[in-house]
């Protein structure tokens, strides 16, 4: 498989998903884009060491997370666990972690690789936690010590030497208070109900100590977090998990295949669709274009070859009249008289004239969230070359972007606050759709606007689902035999104001639902281009531009291979 083209190799997320289903025995589980899915719905990862680490994914530690998740679904009954969860937010947070550690300790003896993967993952998280300074506060060190001590007792793995000294004093202080509960958990780890009794005692004791250390009563209340009242606690302590408020029951229904709640929008009064030329001064666009031209020149791409390959990929035979004077074919009525005037004449027939032309429209939909700024210098060159090659090949193309018109909700959140802050308001920011290049304009006429990709002020937050539906609607308005939507991004949908005021999965679930709906319609081919180790989840056809970056030609040829793959579950018209 190592010699196969990159687009044909099994993707790491597909391999992780297969291992997840094999270990757990649950056929609906999947792992895409460092995210656990049950069917098409995201499933929250309750334990801190399972959540995605910042930066590029380490495939070895990522495998440890998927193995741990699989054991949780194999050994934990969600209904029983939910019934025994403490109502107190802090105790609930600790209880979730303890149940995860219990399941991880039940790894079968015949799977030593799974045990190694999980140990590597936990140690990597522990070191990252310490390096980030999260164990420097009293509450951070207390929770960190509680997690380390509990895992050591349940799994039999010692606390890593690099951090054992830091925990010693706190561990000694906890021993008289938690020793009985620890012994009970260790003894009953194979029995969920009996384990829960001791885990409740452990969690309640830790919650009491956290309050003595100054931890807030409700570490992640949405209304307070939106105001910043507990923002410092959430930012400084990544253990914090949403308190139980009914979403656990919704998650249990998801496992059974229930539909997700409908997507909501608090107000559309401030939504915008802007041509980029109206947002950036003409002189600034000219300067950015000169900068982009220099970058393209240094990359030295073979635009003509890419255009020929794109033309061949999307070519379709088209009838353009007839050619006469052939010796076979259909009789040409205009030359029948030659049978009398020139009996020896044989060129009395005509043939259809068929030419091949590219008949397609390709839309690039770009995630213009803040995290994409780091990729823009590389991405601007590749997209400019791709759009120029599409233009040379006679293929219609669009370059669209999506972001928000404000940070932290803008006027939408202001109206929500003035309206009494109703619960679950839905999308809570000003949507902004950007048109860098429309299908009606050539690459040459859009050159300046494309260079606005290098303008960092345009990048804020992302509302993916609505942008995908918008781009697909624009594609359907084009008269083309094939319509292709290339989704370019580096992660899941996110808008801070919306996430804090709603179910944290609202935006990501809407993105997945929108992708599934468009895949079912089948008149638009969807391809996800991920920037980093994993493509963004949700599309059947995916490609990744992983670091370290290769040449511009290598990037575009890899993308061309992904474009050439037959779509799964979609049919071009």
């Amino acid at each position: 498989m190592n010699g196969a083209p990159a687009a044909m190799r099994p993707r790491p997320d597909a391999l992780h998903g297969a291992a997840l289903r094999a270990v757990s025995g649950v056929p609906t589980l999947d792992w895409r884009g460092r995210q656990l899915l049950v069917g098409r719905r995201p499933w929250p990862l309750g334990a801190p060491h399972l959540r995605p680490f910042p930066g590029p994914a380490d495939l070895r530690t990522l495998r440890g997370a998927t193995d741990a998740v699989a054991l949780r679904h194999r050994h934990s009954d969600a209904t029983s666990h939910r019934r025994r969860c403490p109502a107190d937010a802090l105790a609930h947070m600790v209880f979730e972690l303890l149940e995860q550690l219990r399941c991880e300790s039940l790894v079968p003896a015949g799977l030593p690789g799974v045990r190694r993967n999980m140990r590597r993952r936990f140690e990597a998280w522990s070191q990252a936690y310490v390096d980030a300074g999260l164990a420097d506060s009293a509450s951070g060190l207390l929770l960190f010590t509680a997690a380390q001590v509990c895992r050591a007792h349940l799994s039999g793995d010692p606390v890593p030497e690099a951090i054992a000294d830091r925990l010693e004093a706190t561990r000694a202080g906890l021993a008289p208070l938690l020793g009985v509960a620890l012994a009970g958990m260790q003894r009953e780890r194979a029995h969920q109900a009996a384990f829960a009794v001791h885990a409740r005692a452990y969690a309640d004791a830790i919650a009491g100590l956290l309050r003595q250390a100054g931890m807030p009563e409700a570490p992640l209340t949405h209304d307070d977090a939106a105001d910043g009242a507990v923002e410092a606690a959430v930012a400084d302590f990544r253990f914090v998990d949403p308190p139980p408020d009914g979403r656990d029951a919704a998650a249990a229904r998801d496992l059974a295949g229930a539909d997700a709640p409908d997507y909501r929008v608090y107000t559309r009064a401030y939504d915008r669709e802007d041509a980029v030329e109206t947002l950036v001064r003409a002189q600034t666009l000219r300067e950015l274009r000169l900068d982009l031209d220099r970058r393209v020149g240094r990359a030295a791409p073979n635009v003509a070859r890419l255009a020929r390959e794109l033309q061949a990929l999307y070519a379709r035979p088209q009838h353009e009249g007839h050619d006469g004077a052939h010796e076979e074919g259909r009789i040409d009525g205009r030359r029948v008289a030659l049978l009398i005037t020139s009996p020896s004449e044989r060129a009395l027939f005509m043939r259809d004239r068929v030419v091949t032309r590219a008949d397609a429209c390709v839309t690039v939909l770009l995630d213009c969230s803040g995290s994409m700024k780091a990729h823009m210098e590389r991405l601007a060159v590749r997209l400019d070359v791709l759009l120029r090659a599409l233009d040379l090949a006679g293929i219609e193309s669009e370059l669209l972007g999506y972001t928000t018109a404000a940070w932290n909700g803008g006027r939408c959140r202001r109206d929500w606050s003035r309206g009494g802050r109703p619960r679950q308001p839905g999308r809570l920011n000003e949507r902004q759709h950007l048109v860098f290049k429309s299908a009606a304009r050539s690459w040459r006429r859009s050159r300046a606007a494309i260079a606005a990709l290098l303008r960092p002020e345009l990048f804020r937050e992302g509302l993916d689902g609505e942008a995908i539906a918008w781009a697909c609607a624009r594609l359907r308005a084009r008269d083309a035999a094939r319509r292709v939507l290339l989704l370019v991004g580096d992660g899941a949908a996110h808008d801070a104001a919306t996430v804090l005021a709603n179910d944290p999965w609202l935006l990501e679930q809407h993105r997945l639902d929108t992708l599934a709906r468009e895949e079912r319609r089948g008149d638009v081919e969807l391809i996800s281009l991920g920037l980093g180790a994993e493509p963004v989840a949700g599309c059947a056809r995916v490609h990744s531009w992983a670091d370290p970056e290769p040449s511009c030609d290598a990037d575009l040829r890899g993308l061309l291979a992904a474009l050439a793959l037959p779509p799964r579950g979609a049919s071009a018209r």
Side-chain angles (χ1 to χ4, degrees):
M1 295 302 294
N2 291 335
M8 300 293 291
R9 297 175 193 161
R11 303 189 308 277
D13 57 345
L15 297 176
H16 289 313
L20 180 65
R21 292 186 292 274
V23 175
S24 68
V26 180
T28 57
L29 293 182
D30 202 358
W31 187 274
R32 295 185 185 177
R34 295 192 286 176
Q35 191 171 84
L36 175 65
L37 303 177
V38 179
R40 291 186 294 104
R41 286 217 69 185
W43 185 278
L45 301 174
H49 62 285
L50 303 184
R51 296 171 190 164
F53 295 168
D58 179 340
L59 296 184
R60 292 181 299 175
T61 61
L62 186 57
R63 178 60 186 274
T66 56
D67 287 341
V69 169
L71 289 171
R72 175 68 179 266
H73 282 84
R74 178 172 177 170
H75 293 295
S76 181
D77 180 82
T79 303
S80 174
H81 174 73
R82 190 168 58 252
R83 187 168 61 247
R84 293 177 169 84
C85 271
D88 177 81
L90 292 176
H92 170 75
M93 172 183 67
V94 178
F95 189 79
E96 282 286 346
L97 173 65
L98 297 178
E99 177 64 10
Q100 178 63 46
L101 295 178
R102 180 188 76 85
C103 295
E104 292 179 22
S105 73
L106 299 177
V107 58
L111 299 177
V114 171
R115 179 180 294 276
R116 285 195 301 271
N117 292 336
M118 293 191 299
R119 183 173 64 248
R120 185 183 294 118
R121 175 73 178 193
F122 192 83
E123 290 176 354
W125 168 78
S126 300
Q127 191 59 52
Y129 189 96
V130 171
D131 292 344
L134 300 178
D136 294 343
S137 66
S139 57
L141 181 59
L142 175 60
L143 271 170
F144 189 55
T145 304
Q148 296 289 339
V149 169
C150 182
R151 188 180 189 281
H153 274 75
L154 293 177
S155 68
D157 294 332
V159 176
E161 293 182 7
I163 60 176
D165 290 343
R166 178 186 289 266
L167 308 181
E168 191 57 38
T170 306
R171 179 164 54 180
L174 291 177
L177 181 63
L178 302 176
V180 174
L182 275 171
M185 287 191 294
Q186 185 179 28
R187 184 175 61 253
E188 302 292 352
R189 63 191 180 92
H191 306 95
Q192 183 175 355
F195 176 90
V197 175
H198 303 288
R200 281 287 298 264
Y202 191 94
D204 290 339
I206 294 296
L209 293 173
L210 284 172
R211 290 193 175 87
Q212 294 177 21
M215 195 74 172
E217 290 285 329
L220 194 57
T221 300
H222 290 307
D223 292 348
D224 291 341
D227 269 347
V230 298
E231 183 176 350
V234 174
D236 294 340
F237 193 66
R238 299 176 189 175
F239 248 112
V240 176
D241 200 36
D245 60 357
R247 284 192 294 272
D248 287 344
R253 289 194 298 273
D254 297 338
L255 191 58
D259 291 336
D262 292 337
Y263 181 71
R264 301 170 301 282
V265 177
Y266 185 73
T267 177
R268 299 184 185 273
Y270 308 108
D271 292 353
R272 301 165 53 181
E273 179 180 323
D274 296 312
V276 170
E277 298 96 320
T278 65
L279 303 176
V280 184
R281 294 173 56 244
Q283 178 60 31
T284 302
L285 286 178
R286 285 193 290 270
E287 294 171 357
L288 292 173
R289 186 65 234 185
L290 290 173
D291 184 16
L292 183 55
D293 285 340
R294 285 192 291 269
R295 296 176 187 274
V296 172
R298 289 195 295 268
N302 192 332
V303 181
R305 184 179 67 182
L306 180 62
R308 288 194 300 270
E309 293 174 338
L310 286 166
Q311 189 172 40
L313 179 60
Y314 293 112
R316 290 174 61 92
Q318 296 184 2
H319 181 265
E320 286 197 347
H322 307 278
D323 289 326
H326 290 283
E327 294 188 359
E328 58 182 14
R330 292 182 295 170
I331 291 182
D332 188 350
R334 296 168 299 180
R335 300 176 64 84
V336 170
L338 292 176
L339 287 172
I340 300 173
T341 58
S342 302
S344 61
E345 178 63 48
R346 296 178 180 275
L348 305 174
F349 301 90
M350 63 179 180
R351 294 177 180 173
D352 292 336
R353 184 188 309 130
V354 178
V355 297
T356 56
R357 284 201 177 89
D359 187 5
C361 184
V362 177
T363 294
V364 179
L365 180 61
L366 180 64
D367 175 8
C368 293
S369 58
S371 61
M372 290 289 289
K373 294 178 185 178
H375 304 287
M376 272 306 116
E377 292 185 2
R378 173 188 182 187
L379 195 56
V381 173
R382 273 64 171 169
L383 293 183
D384 185 65
V385 173
L386 175 64
L387 293 169
R388 183 180 176 189
L390 288 167
D391 203 49
L392 287 175
I395 301 171
E396 289 186 344
S397 63
E398 286 194 313
L399 176 57
L400 309 176
Y402 61 94
T403 183
T404 57
W407 290 99
N408 300 318
R411 291 169 290 182
C412 292
R413 185 177 175 278
R414 179 202 64 190
D415 291 353
W416 171 69
S417 296
R418 291 176 177 175
R421 297 191 175 190
R423 291 181 60 82
Q424 303 296 319
R427 190 252 289 170
L428 202 61
N429 207 333
E430 307 172 26
R431 186 192 70 198
Q432 185 175 34
H433 290 161
L434 303 174
V435 180
F436 293 87
K437 177 191 180 300
S438 67
R441 299 185 68 185
S442 67
W443 170 82
R444 187 172 298 279
R445 292 177 60 197
S446 304
R447 291 175 69 251
I450 294 171
L453 292 171
L454 299 174
R455 186 75 173 176
E457 291 82 359
L458 297 177
F459 295 76
R460 296 184 184 89
E461 299 183 89
L463 305 169
D464 298 47
E466 295 183 61
I468 293 168
W470 167 63
C472 287
R474 290 177 65 100
L475 267 172
R476 291 190 184 96
R478 309 305 303 176
D479 183 17
R482 294 181 66 179
R483 304 180 182 95
V484 180
L485 179 60
L486 180 62
L487 307 170
V488 183
D490 66 345
H494 181 76
D495 170 61
T498 302
V499 167
L500 288 170
N502 296 273
D503 186 314
W505 298 106
L506 177 68
L507 292 176
E508 178 62 7
Q509 184 59 50
H510 184 237
R511 182 182 73 85
L512 293 172
D513 288 343
T514 304
L515 285 172
R517 183 174 63 249
E518 297 297 342
E519 293 266 18
R520 285 195 302 270
R521 291 189 65 162
D523 54 354
V524 173
E525 301 175 31
L526 299 173
I527 303 173
S528 173
L529 173 60
L531 302 176
E534 293 287 344
V536 178
C539 284
R541 300 167 64 188
V542 297
H543 183 65
S544 178
W545 282 348
D547 292 326
E549 64 180 68
S551 68
C552 179
D553 278 339
D555 267 346
L556 291 172
R557 290 187 68 81
L559 177 59
L560 191 67
L563 292 171
L565 288 175
R568 291 185 353 211
S571 59
R573 292 183 180 177

